[in-house]
Structures are given as structure tokens and as C-alpha cells.
Amino acid sequence: PFFTPCPAPYLAVRLIAAVCLGLIGFLNSYSVRWAAQVNTVMTFMKVSALGIIIVFGGIQLGRGHTYNLEPSNAFEGTTSSVGDAMVSFYSALWAFDGWQSLASVIEELNNPTRNLILNIAIAMPLVTIVYILTNVAYFTVMTPAELLASDAVAVTFADRLFGVMSWIIPVAVAVSTFASLLTGHLAYSRPLMVAAREGSMPRILSMVQVDRLTPAPPVITRILFAMVMLIP
């Protein structure tokens, strides 16, 4: 929101990314509980932002903005190509990818045979409902072509409806991105640790920090690789 409508400076983006990676590495190396609590707060903020979008979309529906939702308009340009159908599945995969993070930390769950199934059974329908309602809300202010052309659909939605408060959604998008990265490093450092434990990776990656009981070596390794990718 700080540079809108101008593009963000290239170096500023890289520096902010480096700071975020450093913070994520610190949280995951210092305390699993801290990382989980921060992620819980950010998830609440993310879902709240989606709730705001859904509410405003409902208001738009009540005002009669249903043109883009009518079948003749909503499905205009629909193709029967199998390839395009596969691309649509791939595009939606990320939205429902959270279960993999839970599976990666299953050995750290309390009563995993119950809680893993319970979490998936609750989270998957909830995410599906929230995403469907959010997309319905988007179509009350955007055509399918505008939605596909937008770099950040939620931001475009906010710019058209929220007025001076439109900055809320870009901040929420940033929070959502940070939360996804935090969860990713929390979860996907574990496969490195297990692979090292089984002898498939260097043994140092199987070690945990003696005081904090966190898998610091694999966390730091992932952060270092990510930092290298930021180099212009």
C-alpha cells in the first residue's frame, strides 16, 4: 500500500523479503510455540479480511449487482479443453494445500490419529466455503476477464469498494503471504530433518537445538537457500 499506484522499488522488495525471511527463521528456530501462536494470530487476521470481502460482496448482491454471476455471463468463453481443466485444478491447488503442512509435523501432534483427521475434516470444508463465497463477492464488482487480468484480485476489489480504507486489504494480503511462508518453513523443515535422520541428507540436519528443542539446522538451511535466491 505504500507505493500504490506506482510499482514498488526492486531493491525495497528484496530487502523486505530478506527481513521477513530472517524473522521467520528466528521464530522457527527460537520456539515452535511462538511460531504457532504468531501463525494463529495472522490466520485470524487473514480470515477476518476474507470475511469483510464476503460481507461487502453480500451487500453488492443485495443491491442487484449480479450481472457477472448470471450463467450466460459467468461461463462466457468456457472451454472443454482437458488441458485448460488441468490448469484450473493446478491453480486451485495452493488454496487447499494447508493439509500438507499438518502432515509434515504429524509426529509433533498430540493424539495425531484423532487430531489430524479432525483438523482436515474441519479445515477443508471451511476453506472451500470461504473461498467460494469470496469468489462470488469478487464477481459482484469484476468481470471474469478483469479478475484474470488483476495482479491482486482482493486489492482490486478493495480499490473499487473500500474507498479510503482500501489499504486494509493490501495489508491483509501481506499478512497472509507472511503467514503462509511462516507455516511453510515450520512444516517443510521437518522432512529435511527426517531425511537426515534416515541417512539421506547430511547428519547435521537431523539435529535439534539443545535448549529450545527446535530443528534449527534445517530451518536455517532453508532460510539461507531462500536468501541466495533474493540476490539480483
Side-chain angles (χ1 to χ4, degrees):
F2 303 107
F3 303 102
T4 305
C6 301
Y10 181 84
L11 184 59
V13 172
R14 290 297 189 274
L15 290 175
I16 292 173
V19 170
C20 290
L21 285 170
L23 181 57
I24 287 168
F26 169 76
L27 287 171
N28 281 313
S29 298
Y30 186 78
S31 171
V32 174
R33 184 178 297 275
W34 275 26
Q37 289 175 343
V38 170
N39 187 58
T40 299
V41 172
M42 290 189 166
T43 299
F44 175 79
M45 296 172 63
K46 175 170 57 177
V47 174
S48 297
L50 290 172
I52 293 173
I53 290 173
I54 291 169
V55 169
F56 272 79
I59 294 172
Q60 287 292 97
L61 286 175
R63 291 176 175 175
H65 295 273
T66 60
Y67 178 80
N68 295 321
L69 295 171
E70 295 173 2
S72 59
N73 300 315
F75 294 98
E76 184 180 359
T78 297
T79 175
S80 57
S81 168
V82 175
D84 290 339
M86 294 302 101
V87 170
S88 69
F89 280 114
Y90 182 79
S91 300
L93 176 65
W94 176 252
F96 303 92
D97 193 50
W99 67 270
Q100 292 191 32
S101 299
L102 187 61
S104 297
V105 296
I106 190 170
E107 68 177 21
E108 299 175 50
L109 287 178
N110 294 323
N111 193 6
T113 55
R114 172 184 178 273
N115 290 333
L116 178 63
I117 296 173
L118 189 61
N119 276 275
I120 293 175
I122 294 173
M124 291 293 285
L126 181 62
V127 169
T128 301
I129 292 170
V130 169
Y131 271 67
I132 289 175
L133 293 178
T134 302
N135 279 280
V136 169
Y138 289 153
F139 282 118
T140 63
V141 297
M142 283 178 277
T143 66
E146 290 173 330
L147 187 144
L148 291 173
S150 175
D151 292 327
V153 180
V155 176
T156 302
F157 181 91
D159 288 340
R160 297 188 180 184
L161 289 184
F162 291 5
V164 296
M165 298 300 292
S166 61
W167 59 269
I168 293 175
I169 298 303
V171 170
V173 171
V175 167
S176 175
T177 304
F178 185 89
S180 296
L181 194 59
L182 177 64
T183 302
H185 278 279
L186 173 68
Y188 299 129
S189 58
R190 272 60 180 177
L192 284 178
M193 181 178 68
V194 174
R197 185 194 302 163
E198 298 296 325
S200 300
M201 298 288 286
R203 187 177 178 184
I204 190 173
L205 295 178
S206 68
M207 299 180 181
V208 297
Q209 210 281 333
V210 66
D211 296 318
R212 298 292 173 181
L213 301 180
T214 57
V219 169
I220 294 172
T221 299
R222 284 179 56 89
I223 294 296
L224 289 177
F225 275 113
M227 290 283 193
V228 170
M229 295 179 68
L230 292 176
I231 297 175

